[in-house]
Amino acid sequence: MDIDNLPSEKLRDLEESLQELQRRKLADPIGHYEPYPKQQEFHNLGISKRERALIAANQIGKSYSASMETAIHLTGHYPDWWQGKRFNKPVRGWVLGQTSEAVRDTVQRLLLGPLNAPGTGAIPKDAIQNRTLARGVSDAVDTVIIRHKSGGYSQLSFRSYGRGREKLQGESLDFIHVDEEPPADIYTELLARISARKGILYATFTPLLGMSEVVQRFLSDSSGDRAYVQAGIADALHISPEERQKIIDGYPSHEREARAEGVPMLGSGRIYPFDEAMIRYDAGEFQIPKHFVWIAGLDLGWAHATSGVKCAWDRESDAFYVTNVYKRSEATPLIHAGALRQWGTWLPWAWPHDGLQTSKDTGQQLAQVYRDHGLNMLEERATFPDGGSSVEAGIIELQEAMQTGRFRVAKHLEDFWSEFRMYHRKEGRIVKENDDVLDAVRYAWMMRRHSKIEGQGRSGSRPMWPRSAVTEYDIYSPSQRPPSEDINLIY
């Protein structure tokens, strides 16, 4: 629409329509809230998780989405689309930031409106019954009373955690929203505040502190009572691709992944320190050619996830593609196999040493249990051609493949990317947490010599080597790989 050339009466109509839309949004901000997919995922987790974190890039709406959730709980006006936690009565909650000034300028503004326009935030103006100003900080609010749809009143207090944990003791709360990452001792104190009322805690932050105790708490979840959503600048649908790139280019290089992708600053500890664009491909634009062969990898688990990957391999250029990912916790082999058979009963599956363990239920080896449930498991566990199975050797080979353009992953496989971004070492050792998909990829890579043409019968033991290879050809030797120009076959 060319606004500059509109007739004056049309321009007036447009202005009036925009003003009316703005008036309606101010009167019913909750009713006009439409979360992005990652924000929706974050809200939905509240139904089953006591603790949640939106670990995200700068300026993608993480504080905004959490503020909208806060307003929803305070008023009791849950939208029709809401699938998260619900309170059926008035609630007491806290919103926190590092300093009182930071709280005033961010979450207080989002909830109550800017200083020059009070009542224009996420909490509807007519629901705000009373507010008490904080001492010592100009225009900062201490407590606000909000009318709940039940006829009762909810109470929200604004706090800063920079004054220490002692200032946060004594209260019992239904919910807490902490904006920006707090120290570990503050976080545990906040958990104590929600214990008596069986409340919830949700945190929103950009992970500039790296693999801190709070970040690791979410990445190494062993309780099942917490979860996180990782979101990058591409998940902010209001920012155009051109503007995204400008924003990314403006960040210091050492902070770029944290600020643009929501990835903790791992520094030298990160195992795959590569730009995702180096190994990402669009499955909608690149179709796997018919002459590629296929292999799958399976990582076994219960509390930690059982994961499967389906991979295509171009034998001539030694290019490897991850095309499908499956990840699920606390399910039986029957459930996993039922889902994975959909990729094709002919598909050969590489599996780890864990597959030699026996099932408590049947006394059979786990690999055989999966065979009995219809997966085409390879005869032997995953090893390199020389019989070794070193994790470090597998990582080194995958690093080399990534650097040389011979490893690609479909960009929509979020379960892969979330692990890829967080895979790291601590004091030189690989942190074996949240790495189930990556392990499955490594098993498939190690056993790609057993790949098969799509639909080609059940597994045999004869390896399938590159068609261009001579008898002595060793795809694991860099000096004997195909010429570099063959890599162009990737696209």
Side-chain angles (χ1 to χ4, degrees):
M1 181 184 296
D2 187 355
I3 296 177
D4 293 334
N5 294 323
L6 281 177
S8 57
E9 63 274 13
K10 292 289 187 182
L11 188 58
R12 275 197 309 272
D13 290 343
L14 178 60
E15 290 174 349
E16 290 175 0
S17 296
L18 292 174
Q19 289 172 0
E20 175 62 15
L21 178 60
Q22 183 64 19
R23 186 191 67 77
R24 292 182 181 180
K25 285 184 176 180
L26 291 176
D28 185 19
I30 293 172
H32 286 83
Y33 174 46
E34 297 180 359
Y36 295 151
K38 286 297 182 73
Q39 294 170 333
Q40 176 81 70
E41 181 183 354
F42 175 65
H43 295 315
N44 291 353
L45 287 170
I47 193 65
S48 60
K49 305 298 181 182
R50 179 173 178 247
E51 307 167 48
R52 284 173 287 146
L54 181 54
I55 304 176
N58 285 124
Q59 303 300 315
I60 72 161
K62 57 186 184 295
S63 300
Y64 171 71
S65 61
S67 295
M68 291 304 304
E69 175 163 342
T70 296
I72 289 169
H73 293 318
L74 290 168
T75 62
H77 289 294
Y78 292 96
D80 292 340
W81 52 262
W82 186 263
Q83 300 177 42
K85 172 74 173 180
R86 288 175 181 257
F87 294 97
N88 57 11
K89 60 180 178 57
V91 293
R92 293 169 57 90
W94 278 358
V95 172
L96 297 95
Q98 184 171 12
T99 66
S100 297
E101 291 82 0
V103 172
R104 177 197 63 194
D105 296 339
T106 54
V107 283
Q108 179 185 311
R109 173 181 57 82
L110 289 168
L111 285 163
L112 303 178
L115 302 178
N116 62 350
T120 59
I123 302 173
K125 185 176 183 179
D126 62 3
I128 300 172
Q129 301 300 295
N130 188 30
R131 68 177 76 191
T132 303
L133 295 178
R135 296 179 181 179
V137 180
S138 176
D139 297 313
V141 173
D142 180 87
T143 302
V144 58
I145 304 299
I146 298 99
R147 187 177 68 250
H148 190 270
K149 76 171 188 177
S150 66
Y153 297 92
S154 296
Q155 177 179 308
L156 176 68
S157 297
F158 296 93
R159 296 287 182 263
S160 65
Y161 57 74
R163 299 168 63 191
R165 65 183 299 172
E166 295 80 7
K167 301 293 184 180
L168 303 174
Q169 295 175 344
E171 286 273 16
S172 292
L173 303 166
D174 295 295
F175 73 84
I176 294 174
H177 167 213
V178 56
D179 193 52
E180 298 307 335
E181 182 184 355
D185 64 327
I186 296 293
Y187 189 85
T188 54
E189 184 64 41
L190 296 179
L191 288 177
R193 299 303 107 232
I194 63 171
S195 295
R197 299 171 75 106
K198 297 181 180 179
I200 56 173
L201 186 155
Y202 42 102
T204 53
F205 57 88
T206 298
L208 294 173
L209 301 180
M211 290 300 294
S212 65
E213 287 187 53
V214 173
V215 169
Q216 289 187 59
R217 180 181 182 86
F218 286 97
L219 301 192
S220 60
D221 176 30
S222 59
S223 73
D225 205 22
R226 68 187 68 93
Y228 73 96
V229 174
Q230 186 274 333
I233 195 169
D235 297 303
L237 305 185
H238 62 282
I239 304 176
S240 68
E242 296 77 17
E243 188 62 25
R244 288 174 199 159
Q245 194 57 52
K246 291 179 182 178
I247 293 172
I248 293 170
D249 292 343
Y251 293 136
S253 58
H254 68 285
E255 295 183 355
R256 195 162 291 163
E257 282 199 310
R259 292 194 181 276
E261 299 296 340
V263 177
M265 294 175 61
L266 303 180
S268 59
R270 190 169 179 189
I271 291 176
Y272 296 124
F274 307 116
D275 187 335
E276 292 178 18
M278 289 177 60
I279 67 170
R280 190 168 53 219
Y281 81 94
D282 188 332
E285 296 180 359
F286 175 73
Q287 301 297 316
I288 300 297
K290 292 290 186 183
H291 69 273
F292 282 20
V293 290
W294 295 86
I295 186 75
L298 181 67
D299 185 53
L300 304 171
W302 177 256
H304 80 86
T306 290
S307 296
V309 295
K310 183 180 181 183
C311 307
W313 179 39
D314 179 4
R315 294 168 291 173
E316 293 184 349
S317 64
D318 195 23
F320 198 77
Y321 292 79
V322 181
T323 65
N324 298 72
V325 168
Y326 167 88
K327 185 174 182 179
R328 181 171 176 177
S329 302
E330 299 183 357
T332 64
L334 174 65
I335 300 300
H336 298 312
L340 296 172
R341 283 198 308 269
Q342 306 305 311
W343 293 350
T345 56
W346 57 271
L347 185 65
W349 285 88
W351 47 276
H353 186 272
D354 295 356
L356 298 176
Q357 297 177 3
T358 57
S359 168
K360 294 180 181 179
D361 297 329
T362 65
Q364 289 182 305
Q365 288 185 342
L366 285 173
Q368 186 59 47
V369 172
Y370 277 91
R371 285 192 191 96
D372 292 344
H373 288 311
L375 286 196
N376 188 16
M377 306 288 277
L378 292 172
E379 292 298 320
E380 303 293 337
R381 68 181 180 90
T383 64
F384 294 109
D386 63 4
S389 59
S390 165
V391 174
E392 293 289 355
I395 288 173
I396 290 171
E397 287 199 3
L398 286 170
Q399 287 173 335
E400 290 178 352
M402 292 176 191
Q403 287 177 312
T404 56
R406 297 180 295 109
F407 184 87
R408 292 282 192 267
V409 181
K411 69 178 185 180
H412 68 279
L413 302 179
E414 188 55 39
D415 282 331
F416 172 90
W417 295 112
S418 62
E419 292 189 11
F420 175 83
R421 293 161 184 152
M422 307 298 186
Y423 199 34
H424 69 288
R425 299 178 188 272
K426 185 175 182 180
E427 298 178 354
R429 294 180 176 272
I430 297 170
V431 177
K432 293 296 295 175
E433 296 167 348
N434 197 32
D435 59 354
D436 312 294
V437 172
L438 294 178
D439 282 348
V441 168
R442 184 163 46 81
Y443 303 142
W445 170 267
M446 291 163 63
M447 296 293 276
R448 67 195 188 281
R449 62 190 183 275
H450 293 284
S451 299
K452 288 188 174 295
I453 295 288
E454 184 172 358
Q456 181 194 51
R458 301 287 286 184
S459 285
S461 59
R462 183 176 64 86
M464 185 169 285
W465 298 99
R467 293 196 296 266
S468 59
V470 296
T471 306
E472 297 79 17
Y473 184 81
D474 179 8
I475 63 171
Y476 294 94
S477 170
S479 64
Q480 296 185 43
R481 287 188 176 125
S484 58
E485 60 266 22
D486 286 350
I487 293 175
N488 293 329
L489 293 171
I490 291 174
Y491 291 106

